[in-house]
């Protein structure tokens, strides 16, 4: 029988151990496929901090380095400056990059470090039990906001791509989602462009991806995607916020 689909060479053979329905796995596949299509698996170095996002260390077939919570972009910056011919990407949760790692997120973009950062936004701190994150949406019930996020106490959710896009060193910024086949195709395109920006040495590239956390949201995998569509998609601006001409032309 003709083989019509193979797992990408960008992923190892280790089975994912994310919770059932968690969309971290979809994002992994897209990154693996992009690395394979661009033929960069052997020259890519990923950096993962702690959190469920940190499990990614085992699953990609490129080199990978672990970092402390929030520090992946500092580590990635060091690697890229020491080894400028490598493709360097960070794979971070929203709690990681938009809370403890905020300073790095801003300054890496301001400096225009030639790395690619990926934020997996599931609106909570996933690994530690679903606490409120800066990206938790208004009114959302979490383990630390049992009555729903109250913006009058904690401020409104941070839409990180918009902030990053305002900094001149950030040359590619996209906000995508993996809740539907159409959006998954868009997400892959954004990830590809974010790596192409780095291949061309243009500056900092950032992709924010809306993702599900069925375990901490207390929903089934299918209801989680529905919840994301009904509650997250309307409040976060989606699409490519910044695209360099050189990449549009590819
Ligand atoms: C310095 C430090 N502070 C706190 C923690 C505890 N901690 C581990 S994972 C995590 C949250 C991760 O959430 P997120 O970045 O959103 O990733 P997810 O698990 O949702 O993929 C926290 C607070 C830690 N490991 N190190
Ligand atoms: S806790 Fe949430 S983010 Fe972590 S693996 Fe489970 S579903 Fe995914």
């Amino acid at each position: 029988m003709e083989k019509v689909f193979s797992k990408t060479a960008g992923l190892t053979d280790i089975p994912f151990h994310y919770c059932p329905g968690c969309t971290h796995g979809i994002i992994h596949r897209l990154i693996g496929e992009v690395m394979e299509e661009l033929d960069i698996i052997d020259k890519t170095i990923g950096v993962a901090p702690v959190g469920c996002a940190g499990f990614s260390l085992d699953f990609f077939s490129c080199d990978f380095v672990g970092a402390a919570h929030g520090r992946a972009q500092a580590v990635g910056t060091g690697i890229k400056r020491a080894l400028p011919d490598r493709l360097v990407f960070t794979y971070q949760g929203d709690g990681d990059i938009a809370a403890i790692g905020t300073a790095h997120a801003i300054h890496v973009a301001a400096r225009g470090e030639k790395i690619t950062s990926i934020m997996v936004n599931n609106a909570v701190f996933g690994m530690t039990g679903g606490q409120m994150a800066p990206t938790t949406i208004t009114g959302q019930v979490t383990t630390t906001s049992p009555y729903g996020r109250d913006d009058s106490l904690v401020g409104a959710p941070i839409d990180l791509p918009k902030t990053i896009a305002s900094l001149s060193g950030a040359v590619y910024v996209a906000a995508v989602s993996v809740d539907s086949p159409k959006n998954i195709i868009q997400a892959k395109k954004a990830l590809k462009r974010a790596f192409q920006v780095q291949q061309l040495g243009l500056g900092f590239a950032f992709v924010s991806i809306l993702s599900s956390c069925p375990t901490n949201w207390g929903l089934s995998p299918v209801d989680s995607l529905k919840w994301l569509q009904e509650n997250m998609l309307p409040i976060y601006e989606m699409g490519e916020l910044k695209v360099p001409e050189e990449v549009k032309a590819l």
Side-chain angles (χ1 to χ4, degrees):
M1 195 188 292
E2 191 194 351
K3 195 173 181 182
V4 292
F5 180 80
S6 307
K7 182 178 73 64
T8 170
L11 296 176
T12 62
D13 288 331
I14 300 172
F16 294 149
H17 49 261
Y18 296 109
C19 307
C22 174
T23 44
H24 264 299
I26 294 176
I27 301 167
H28 282 20
R29 175 169 61 81
L30 299 182
I31 296 170
E33 288 175 357
V34 164
M35 288 197 295
E36 185 177 9
E37 286 167 23
L38 295 176
D39 195 19
I40 55 169
I41 298 171
D42 290 345
K43 55 189 296 205
T44 299
I45 303 174
V47 188
V50 295
C52 296
F55 291 136
S56 56
L57 282 168
D58 286 337
F59 303 133
F60 290 105
S61 41
C62 60
D63 284 338
F64 237 91
V65 175
H69 197 18
R71 312 297 169 216
Q73 292 176 303
V75 173
T77 295
I79 295 172
K80 183 71 183 185
R81 288 187 179 203
L83 301 170
D85 61 323
R86 302 302 182 92
L87 279 297
V88 176
F89 79 96
T90 66
Y91 185 90
Q92 304 172 258
D94 51 309
D96 184 85
I97 192 171
I100 193 169
T102 324
H104 298 291
I106 300 298
H107 289 286
V108 90
R111 295 195 306 270
E113 298 292 346
K114 296 179 179 61
I115 64 171
T116 298
S117 287
I118 297 157
M119 171 172 84
V120 180
N121 180 3
N122 55 22
V124 286
F125 287 85
M127 177 183 261
T128 42
Q131 294 86 358
M132 182 172 61
T135 43
T136 296
I137 65 166
T138 306
Q140 183 180 343
V141 172
T142 71
T143 48
T144 50
S145 57
Y147 304 110
R149 181 190 181 119
D150 181 349
D151 290 358
S152 70
L153 293 177
V154 299
I158 294 177
D159 196 344
L160 196 60
K162 279 192 193 160
T163 306
I164 299 292
S166 72
L167 299 163
S168 61
V171 298
Y172 180 78
V173 180
V176 294
S177 175
V178 287
D179 61 286
S180 66
K182 177 172 168 274
N183 283 343
I184 289 171
I185 291 168
Q186 287 301 320
K188 182 171 174 183
K189 184 179 165 196
L191 288 165
K192 195 168 199 171
R193 285 185 155 182
F195 278 97
Q196 287 171 323
V197 161
Q198 192 178 159
Q199 282 184 306
L200 294 170
L202 301 176
F204 179 63
F206 181 60
V207 182
S208 163
I209 307 179
L210 299 187
S211 185
S212 69
C213 181
T215 298
N216 287 305
W217 294 355
L219 296 170
S220 70
V222 171
D223 285 345
S224 294
L225 295 179
K226 224 182 281 170
W227 188 89
L228 187 161
Q229 287 160 351
E230 289 170 2
N231 297 282
M232 293 177 80
L233 278 177
I235 69 148
Y236 286 115
E237 187 174 329
M238 303 301 289
E240 291 184 310
L241 279 59
K242 252 181 163 178
V243 190
E245 288 305 320
E246 295 91 324
V247 168
K248 278 187 200 161
L250 290 175

